[in-house]
Amino acid sequence: MVLTFMAANLTIATLPAHFGYKVLEHQHHLVTKQISHYFYYFYSMRVFKFGGASIATPEKMEALLPIISNEHEPVLLVVSALGKSTNALEKIVNAACAGNKNEAIHLAEQLELEHLDYARALLDETHFIKAADALHTYFNELKRGIKLADSSRYDFSYDQVVCLGEICSTLLLHFYLVQKGLPFDWVDARTVIRTDDTYRDAGVDWNYSKQQVQAVIGRKMKAGRSILTQGFIGATINGDSVTLGREGSDYTAAMLAAMLQLESVTIWKDVEGFLNADPKMFSNTVKIEALSYNEVIEMAFYGAQIIHPKTIKPLQNNNIPLYVKCFLDPSLSGTTIQAEVTGINYPPLIVLKHDQVLLQVTSRDFSFITEDNLSRLYALFHAKKIKVNLIQNAAISFVACIDNRADKIKDLTEELNKDYKVLSNENVSLLTIRHYTPEVVEQLTANKQILLKQETRKTLQVVMK
């Protein structure tokens, strides 16, 4: 059997069905998605995203080999920094911005030695020498980032330093895969993901990035090469490094799958699938077999750490399923996330965010907090790049629950105090429960001081102390 494909500005190409193209049945005819220019979308190819926990030690990285090598088609790997290295890099940038450049350089040299020890445990002598040389090049880039670090441009300085975590972890995995004879090409994500200059939470230039991804990654995969790249990072038009927000590797995986129209995305975790709550915070969690895009994006928005909030949109827009599976036991079924899910009664889905600040903003002149004041307040939060996790307003007051970012809150309150009276409650927690029950609400709020409560048909949120 053969399939016929029509591409814009191309003649018809006839290819064997076993090439892995996705066939769609519609009214008894075989149809395919329209393709632009030269590019054939390899629908059976998949994206695997591995987080820091999955590569935290050389032994864990080695244990991923069966998962990767079992793929019969080229695969696209999106990988995070080694476990704990992002925290180490944050200490480095904090020291550098505080003016302690020598301390920052010392910490960077320690981190380089840790990566070299990792490489030595993982690689044979030939590949270790190559890996050490490559690592040294990028640790020199890290040191340049330290020298440029400036507290007046903290977010910029942060991104120039922290992005090196993903670069170095993927270099280690690349040389290991090459050593094992797997046809993987390493791609610096900063050469294909173009963004704006919103450092630490950059917005992606989708059109330019898509062209680059197809031209660089797509061509290689079309030629039968698997790809290894980084999550979480990109670059501005000027070539400055940016990050896409904490846990942004999930978003990178989803973007690349959408831009290449790949079959699916699998996020490999150290848990058996999508759980109804964080097992580090709650006992007796329950794995959920399947969720809808809508359900997951709600949970991600409220702060569930298992999926990055931006991940779902490119997948939903392109009807690409997302799987959450356990790298410790790949035989487990995991969780499927897709457009529609039927026949499932969700348990209460719980998100608990600590280290929150509840701000109460009251108009000094007793003017109502209606459209005029609300638009000014929203614009101010947006300008300060502060995400509001919960909001409520009354006649002359506006209440917002936000993450405790001392530097940003200081600037915000100074601006607010010009026209408003500002009160705050610090060290509060935000509890969100989807599909709540009275019993669960009572259990989780027992002996807590309730500062604010909002309730809809499916979702309950409580700010408590």
Side-chain angles (χ1 to χ4, degrees):
M1 176 183 175
V2 296
L3 304 180
T4 300
F5 290 76
M6 177 67 77
N9 302 322
L10 287 179
T11 56
I12 294 175
T14 304
L15 298 171
H18 66 262
F19 255 54
Y21 291 89
K22 185 175 181 181
V23 182
L24 307 175
E25 290 279 2
H26 181 62
Q27 295 181 350
H28 310 292
H29 295 287
L30 293 173
V31 298
T32 64
K33 293 185 178 179
Q34 187 175 6
I35 304 169
S36 64
H37 304 300
Y38 70 90
F39 195 78
Y40 291 113
Y41 295 116
F42 282 40
Y43 287 110
S44 65
M45 295 179 187
R46 303 193 285 177
V47 180
F48 285 175
K49 182 263 176 174
F50 293 105
S54 66
I55 55 172
T57 65
E59 294 75 21
K60 286 187 174 181
M61 186 176 283
E62 289 175 326
L64 300 181
L65 189 63
I67 297 174
I68 297 168
S69 60
N70 281 340
E71 288 297 290
H72 300 297
E73 299 281 355
V75 63
L76 173 53
L77 304 185
V78 175
V79 181
S80 300
L82 300 181
K84 308 297 185 184
S85 65
T86 298
N87 292 335
L89 287 161
E90 288 178 340
K91 289 182 180 179
I92 290 170
V93 74
N94 288 339
C97 285
N100 302 320
K101 298 293 179 80
N102 289 336
E103 179 189 350
I105 293 292
H106 174 66
L107 291 172
E109 290 171 346
Q110 284 185 325
L111 188 60
E112 182 174 7
L113 289 175
E114 291 172 10
H115 279 74
L116 289 173
D117 287 342
Y118 190 114
R120 192 174 287 108
L122 184 72
L123 304 171
D124 61 31
E125 186 64 22
T126 299
H127 291 89
F128 170 76
I129 292 171
K130 293 178 180 178
D133 184 58
L135 287 169
H136 186 65
T137 297
Y138 286 101
F139 272 95
N140 281 339
E141 180 182 332
L142 171 59
K143 290 175 182 178
R144 289 194 295 272
I146 291 170
K147 291 176 182 177
L148 292 171
D150 183 345
S151 60
S152 67
R153 294 200 303 165
Y154 180 80
D155 288 351
F156 169 83
S157 303
Y158 180 99
D159 280 1
Q160 308 321 300
V161 169
V162 170
C163 72
L164 272 301
E166 276 67 20
I167 293 291
C168 293
S169 67
T170 54
L171 284 172
L172 292 169
L173 180 55
H174 170 68
F175 284 106
Y176 176 64
L177 295 173
V178 170
Q179 178 177 296
K180 292 298 180 180
L182 296 179
F184 271 85
D185 288 345
W186 184 87
V187 173
D188 187 334
R190 296 175 296 180
T191 65
V192 293
I193 301 298
R194 167 77 61 79
T195 73
D196 62 19
D197 60 359
T198 307
Y199 298 102
R200 298 188 69 184
D201 192 19
V204 174
D205 181 339
W206 190 271
N207 291 332
Y208 179 88
S209 299
K210 182 176 180 179
Q211 291 173 4
Q212 286 294 100
V213 166
Q214 291 183 354
V216 176
I217 295 177
R219 283 182 185 273
K220 290 176 180 290
M221 295 186 77
K222 182 172 180 284
R225 304 290 296 181
S226 290
I227 301 297
L228 170 60
T229 193
Q230 308 80 34
F232 181 59
I233 68 174
T236 68
I237 192 171
N238 295 322
D240 296 319
S241 298
V242 297
T243 61
L244 307 179
R246 200 69 187 264
E247 308 298 332
S249 293
D250 295 348
Y251 182 39
T252 302
M255 279 195 299
L256 295 176
M259 290 171 179
L260 294 170
Q261 288 292 294
L262 302 184
E263 181 188 81
S264 64
V265 174
T266 303
I267 295 177
W268 294 91
K269 295 276 189 180
D270 56 359
V271 292
E272 58 184 317
F274 195 108
L275 305 179
N276 72 313
D278 186 342
K280 296 175 183 176
M281 294 185 180
F282 299 94
S283 58
N284 303 319
T285 55
V286 178
K287 192 197 85 168
I288 303 168
E289 294 295 329
L291 292 113
S292 67
Y293 293 131
N294 182 71
E295 201 66 47
V296 173
I297 203 167
E298 289 283 345
M299 296 307 297
F301 177 80
Y302 293 129
Q305 294 297 304
I306 198 165
I307 303 293
H308 188 276
K310 299 178 189 174
T311 301
I312 299 302
K313 184 178 186 297
L315 299 178
Q316 188 277 338
N317 291 174
N318 293 274
N319 198 28
I320 298 172
L322 173 65
Y323 303 101
V324 180
K325 297 202 67 175
C326 181
F327 64 81
L328 300 172
D329 187 354
S331 67
L332 296 175
S333 60
T335 299
T336 301
I337 299 166
Q338 57 193 17
E340 298 295 335
V341 174
T342 58
I344 290 183
N345 293 319
Y346 292 119
L349 305 178
I350 303 165
V351 178
L352 180 59
K353 297 187 71 173
H354 294 301
D355 198 21
Q356 299 288 291
V357 175
L358 187 66
L359 293 179
Q360 179 175 312
V361 180
T362 305
S363 58
R364 292 186 183 276
D365 62 357
F366 268 44
S367 60
F368 289 125
I369 304 295
T370 51
E371 288 79 2
D372 181 44
N373 269 311
L374 282 174
S375 63
R376 291 172 60 196
L377 290 166
Y378 279 129
L380 185 56
F381 276 84
H382 177 72
K384 300 297 181 181
K385 300 175 184 176
I386 295 176
K387 177 181 177 294
V388 178
N389 298 322
L390 181 147
I391 192 170
Q392 189 173 94
N393 71 284
I396 61 170
S397 66
F398 170 94
V399 178
C401 184
I402 60 178
D403 295 337
N404 185 11
R405 288 282 305 277
D407 54 334
K408 292 184 179 293
I409 292 174
K410 182 176 182 294
D411 289 343
L412 175 69
T413 52
E414 286 178 355
E415 191 68 29
L416 286 170
N417 275 320
K418 295 176 181 178
D419 299 304
Y420 303 92
K421 179 182 178 181
V422 182
L423 300 175
S424 68
N425 296 94
E426 298 181 352
N427 300 316
V428 302
S429 298
L430 173 61
L431 172 68
T432 303
I433 312 173
R434 293 270 295 168
H435 310 288
Y436 58 92
T437 65
E439 296 78 15
V440 169
V441 174
E442 183 178 355
Q443 177 187 350
L444 296 181
T445 60
N447 303 317
K448 300 291 185 181
Q449 179 187 1
I450 306 300
L451 303 176
L452 187 150
K453 182 177 179 181
Q454 287 188 357
E455 186 174 350
T456 66
R457 292 178 183 176
K458 290 186 178 181
T459 304
L460 178 139
Q461 290 190 283
V462 175
V463 180
M464 60 190 187
K465 192 165 185 175

